[in-house]
């Protein structure tokens, strides 16, 4: 069924909104200092569940592509994300992660041939500044390993987002199967590493079981399906500009559920970051490219119209 663009954006935005709860669930419900085990429990059960629902396996070159995307979006991203969450104070991981739109803009030039506009770059800076005002606190010494982990997780997810857009999906394969492949591949990549580094799984109480079920089902299986579905229909830059909704949601949860205060500066930062998120969803104005027509005259509008038509046709075929 066809879906209008605002509805598609709203559904895709549910993914980072869900991810905004990850920090609270990790710190309040899960065993401490087990980032690799937590990453496995988040990715592998969700991947196997979606794989059972999709009932489609990769074919040919897509075995390799699924492994690469699974490593970037899941296998590397999850452990680095949880490592940074365990080691960094005051939401610093969210600050580093908020530069994701700028990462994606740069990678889109190299891998997609997209040229970022000045508005895109300024909006990316505004989003990072807004998130910084919301979550950055002066107290607490920075941990170098945590900062590097946060930076690497952002780079990994940004690269995976752009490659997901570049490669699309095989004919006849929907976003559910693509999500299942990546979560399963990423989970299988992390599992032996978790066993080697952290040893046997810890004993789990009811709170931890509930936390892991939430992370695997709502926070991962559903959220990543919506995310990759959005990547297939929106531009990579538009999708990644939804990312700041994650730390904003985390701040709201901290205020509503954990008793954390929101200062006027934080509220101003939330407004700035949210405004940048909305601005990032606006379609850029078409750039007039002067081309020589068959009659020897220059034409821009007709050429742009032809390109738009071709883009829609190719996008439809790839879905």
């Amino acid at each position: 069924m066809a879906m209008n663009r605002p509805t598609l954006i709203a559904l895709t935005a549910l993914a980072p909104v869900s991810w905004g709860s990850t920090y609270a669930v990790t710190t309040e419900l899960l065993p401490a200092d087990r980032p690799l085990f937590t990453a496995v429990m988040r990715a592998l059960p969700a991947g196997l569940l979606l794989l059972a629902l999709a009932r489609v396996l990769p074919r040919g070159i897509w075995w390799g592509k699924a492994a690469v995307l699974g490593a970037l979006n899941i296998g590397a991203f999850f452990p680095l994300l949880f490592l940074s969450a365990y080691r960094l104070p005051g939401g610093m991981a969210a600050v580093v992660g908020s530069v994701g739109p700028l990462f994606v803009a740069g990678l889109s030039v190299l891998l997609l041939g997209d040229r970022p506009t000045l508005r895109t770059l300024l909006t990316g800076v505004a989003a990072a500044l807004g998130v910084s005002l919301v979550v950055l606190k002066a107290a607490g010494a920075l941990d170098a390993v945590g900062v590097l982990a946060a930076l690497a997780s952002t780079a990994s997810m940004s690269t995976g987002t752009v490659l997901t857009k570049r490669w699309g999906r095989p004919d006849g394969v929907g976003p559910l199967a693509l999500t299942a492949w990546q979560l399963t591949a990423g989970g299988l990549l992390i599992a032996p590493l978790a066993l080697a580094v952290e040893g046997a799984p810890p004993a789990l109480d009811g709170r931890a079981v509930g936390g892991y079920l939430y992370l695997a089902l709502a926070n991962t299986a559903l959220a990543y399906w919506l995310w990759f579905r959005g990547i297939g229909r929106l531009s990579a830059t538009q999708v990644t500009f939804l990312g700041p909704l994650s730390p904003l949601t985390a701040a709201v949860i901290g205020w509503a559920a954990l008793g954390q205060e929101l200062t006027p500066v934080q509220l101003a930062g939330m407004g700035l970051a949210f405004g940048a998120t909305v601005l990032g969803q606006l379609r850029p104005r078409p750039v007039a490219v002067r081309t020589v027509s068959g009659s020897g005259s220059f034409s821009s509008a007709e050429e742009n119209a032809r390109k738009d038509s071709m883009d829609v046709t190719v996008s439809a075929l790839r879905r």
Side-chain angles (χ1 to χ4, degrees):
M1 184 176 68
M3 182 182 301
N4 61 46
R5 190 165 173 273
T7 301
L8 176 61
I9 292 173
L11 288 175
T12 307
L14 291 177
V17 168
S18 171
W19 299 335
S21 64
T22 303
Y23 182 80
V25 172
T26 301
T27 56
E28 298 298 318
L29 301 179
L30 305 185
D33 300 323
R34 301 301 295 263
L36 293 175
F37 176 75
T38 297
V40 172
M41 292 298 292
R42 183 182 176 189
L44 193 54
L48 293 175
L49 172 62
L50 294 185
L51 197 61
L53 294 175
R55 299 183 180 181
V56 178
L57 292 176
R59 294 181 181 178
I61 195 173
W62 268 97
W63 283 102
K65 288 184 176 181
V68 170
L69 294 177
L72 290 171
N73 288 322
I74 309 298
F77 175 68
F78 277 10
L80 292 169
L81 175 68
F82 283 113
L83 178 61
S84 64
Y86 279 121
R87 298 184 70 106
L88 290 181
M92 175 58 72
V95 175
V96 179
S98 66
V99 301
L102 298 177
F103 273 48
V104 169
L107 289 168
S108 294
V109 175
L110 298 175
L111 299 177
L112 301 178
D114 292 344
R115 184 173 59 186
T117 63
L118 179 60
R119 190 188 74 185
T120 297
L121 297 177
L122 292 178
T123 304
V125 172
L129 176 60
V131 171
S132 300
L133 294 176
V134 173
V135 301
L136 186 58
K137 298 179 181 179
L142 296 183
D143 181 274
V145 174
V147 172
L148 289 175
L151 188 62
S153 69
T154 301
S156 179
M157 183 65 166
S158 298
T159 305
T161 297
V162 176
L163 282 179
T164 301
K165 184 66 180 179
R166 176 183 174 87
W167 289 340
R169 300 191 302 267
D171 293 338
V173 173
L176 185 69
L178 183 64
T179 305
W181 299 347
Q182 295 186 54
L183 288 171
T184 304
L188 291 175
L189 179 66
I190 305 168
L193 182 63
L195 186 61
V197 174
E198 297 178 351
L204 302 179
D205 57 16
R207 288 165 57 89
V209 171
Y212 282 127
L213 283 174
Y214 167 76
L215 287 182
L217 298 178
N219 187 267
T220 302
L222 177 59
Y224 270 88
W225 172 67
L226 292 172
W227 185 252
F228 291 129
R229 186 169 175 264
I231 292 176
R233 302 186 182 187
L234 300 169
S235 73
T237 303
Q238 286 175 322
V239 172
T240 197
F241 264 116
L242 296 173
L245 292 176
S246 179
L248 296 186
T249 302
V252 172
I253 291 175
W255 168 75
L258 303 180
Q260 299 173 357
E261 295 184 358
L262 288 175
T263 67
V265 172
Q266 287 177 304
L267 293 174
M270 292 177 70
L272 180 60
F274 185 75
T277 298
V278 173
L279 188 59
Q281 303 313 307
L282 300 180
R283 289 174 175 170
R285 293 180 179 178
V287 179
V289 179
R290 298 186 64 183
T291 58
V292 180
S293 67
S295 62
S297 60
F298 286 95
S299 172
S300 59
E302 292 179 358
E303 182 66 18
N304 285 335
R306 276 196 298 271
K307 288 182 178 180
D308 290 343
S309 177
M310 290 175 62
D311 289 343
V312 171
T313 301
V314 172
S315 178
L317 289 174
R318 287 170 63 181
R319 295 188 195 116

